[in-house]
Amino acid sequence: THIDEDSATFAESMRVLRPRSNARVPISRLPDDVLMIVFKYFEEEMRLDGFNNDDDEFASDVINDVPACLPLTHVCRHWRKVALDYPTLWRFISSISPLWLDVILERSKNVPLVVSYTLFSMSRKDCVEKVLLHLPRIKHSQLRSFAWDDDFVMDLLLSHPAPVLETFKFIVYGSLPPTVSISDTIFQGQAPLLRDLEVAHCDRRWSSCIFGRLRTLRVGETPLPDLISALRCMPALEQLTIQLPTFDETMLFDRMPLARLKSIALDGTSLQTAVSLFAHLALSVDVKITLRFSSIEGPRTFADLFSVM
């Protein structure tokens, strides 16, 4: 009919005229490099607004399980092209659906990735496995899992080197005893840029140089002998946060010098254990010390603590 023909003609005219009209808008005259900066801040705001944990600097890259930067690709053709040609915009990978994970991995091309995953369901296992196949280009990684998934995650972390990894956090939830060890074979023993490490509820058995360049270390419930053994391999350490269980004070160790340490924090530690720890560390006088005691009972006193600091 004539009405249908007129409607089709009108729609075609609008299709042709819309890009011309968009081109007259001031923001459309911004250079692509400036537009990329705008996109970067938009993506960051959307990503952080979609995450509720203020303690996680990685945050999530998804809102309603889609990438935070996705709306930018649905404004106009030019914006879509700029966004798709900006792989850094797509480098944040979190607990995203399998469908969007493939898209993110493709659009991020070869840029270093920022990964934050919480492995609380079977469907996430496939995603984590796919992501960790890209371990050689992961720059920052935070993984959370239940204790019964430790072996699964660790097998993946043992399978590839991590040549660009700078930050690694592995948090395990659950009351089961640790069943997996973080050892020198993690990342196939290759993580030369690793500077920030946090592990909780895992056995830690390291003695080689894979962690020798750490600047920041946060560990939970680590026996003092294991901690001292680890610190001997970390001469560049600047920040240390630890939880120490009560241990046999008859165990003796040489004092461990930490010449570059700037701050040390003991969280949920007894006064007695704190005294024993500082008795085995040789610290500079300007180190910042933060203590949060779980108990001050026992034969040790604050005078004993101050005398060994």
Side-chain angles (χ1 to χ4, degrees):
T1 66
H2 291 296
I3 294 178
D4 292 337
E5 292 177 358
D6 290 343
S7 297
T9 301
F10 178 75
E12 177 63 18
S13 299
M14 290 297 296
R15 187 190 68 80
V16 173
L17 292 175
R18 187 176 293 110
R20 298 179 185 178
S21 177
N22 290 341
R24 299 170 62 92
V25 178
I27 195 172
S28 296
R29 296 195 291 270
L30 289 177
D32 287 356
D33 55 346
V34 175
L35 201 56
M36 287 180 183
I37 295 174
V38 175
F39 286 1
K40 173 182 177 295
Y41 284 108
F42 172 85
E43 187 277 340
E44 183 177 282
E45 181 177 357
M46 292 288 288
R47 173 164 45 87
L48 296 179
D49 283 350
F51 197 76
N52 296 321
N53 188 346
D54 295 333
D55 294 331
D56 184 358
E57 67 269 27
F58 298 150
S60 171
D61 69 321
V62 291
I63 299 175
N64 297 325
D65 223 23
V66 300
C69 55
L70 186 67
L72 296 170
T73 64
H74 293 270
V75 176
C76 64
R77 292 178 182 177
H78 178 60
W79 280 31
R80 179 177 178 83
K81 181 180 183 304
V82 172
L84 294 182
D85 289 342
Y86 188 20
T88 302
L89 200 65
W90 304 88
R91 67 192 178 108
F92 296 95
I93 299 180
S94 187
S95 300
I96 204 166
S97 70
L99 172 64
W100 285 111
L101 178 58
D102 289 335
V103 173
I104 290 288
L105 290 172
E106 178 184 357
R107 293 180 179 178
S108 62
K109 298 180 181 178
N110 293 317
V111 301
L113 300 173
V114 177
V115 174
S116 179
Y117 252 97
T118 301
L119 186 60
F120 286 170
S121 69
M122 290 297 295
S123 62
R124 298 275 170 82
K125 280 193 171 184
D126 291 340
C127 293
V128 170
E129 184 171 11
K130 184 174 293 187
V131 169
L132 291 184
L133 288 175
H134 295 263
L135 191 55
R137 69 182 184 106
I138 294 178
K139 186 174 183 179
H140 302 285
S141 175
Q142 176 167 280
L143 301 175
R144 303 183 186 93
S145 75
F146 283 123
W148 48 81
D149 287 321
D150 280 0
D151 290 330
F152 169 76
V153 176
M154 190 53 59
D155 285 344
L156 296 174
L157 295 174
L158 293 172
S159 61
H160 296 283
V164 300
L165 186 66
E166 296 182 5
T167 303
F168 178 63
K169 299 183 179 183
F170 187 25
I171 311 299
V172 179
Y173 298 96
S175 57
L176 295 176
T179 59
V180 67
S181 297
I182 293 185
S183 67
D184 302 334
T185 57
I186 192 173
F187 311 129
Q188 294 187 345
Q190 301 177 54
L193 300 183
L194 186 61
R195 297 295 182 268
D196 188 324
L197 175 66
E198 178 177 351
V199 289
H201 201 72
C202 301
D203 280 343
R204 290 153 291 277
R205 300 175 184 173
W206 49 59
S207 58
S208 75
C209 61
I210 183 174
F211 301 119
R213 298 178 181 177
L214 286 181
R215 299 291 188 271
T216 301
L217 174 65
R218 290 176 292 275
V219 292
E221 290 295 321
T222 301
L224 184 59
D226 293 344
L227 177 65
I228 296 297
S229 175
L231 293 179
R232 293 188 188 283
C233 305
M234 303 174 186
L237 197 64
E238 296 179 356
Q239 297 179 330
L240 175 62
T241 301
I242 50 178
Q243 288 181 323
L244 285 174
T246 302
F247 68 97
D248 183 1
E249 286 196 83
T250 62
M251 303 174 68
L252 298 177
F253 314 95
D254 295 333
R255 290 179 71 90
M256 174 66 213
L258 293 172
R260 297 189 183 182
L261 197 68
K262 298 178 181 178
S263 67
I264 179 172
L266 271 66
D267 186 19
T269 299
S270 70
L271 175 60
Q272 183 170 334
T273 301
V275 172
S276 300
L277 171 65
F278 285 106
H280 292 92
L281 297 179
L283 306 177
S284 62
V285 295
D286 58 348
V287 171
K288 179 181 178 182
I289 300 175
T290 304
L291 303 174
R292 188 173 72 86
F293 293 121
S294 60
S295 171
I296 59 174
E297 298 178 355
R300 299 294 190 177
T301 66
F302 282 100
D304 295 326
L305 178 63
F306 295 143
S307 68
V308 297
M309 283 184 171

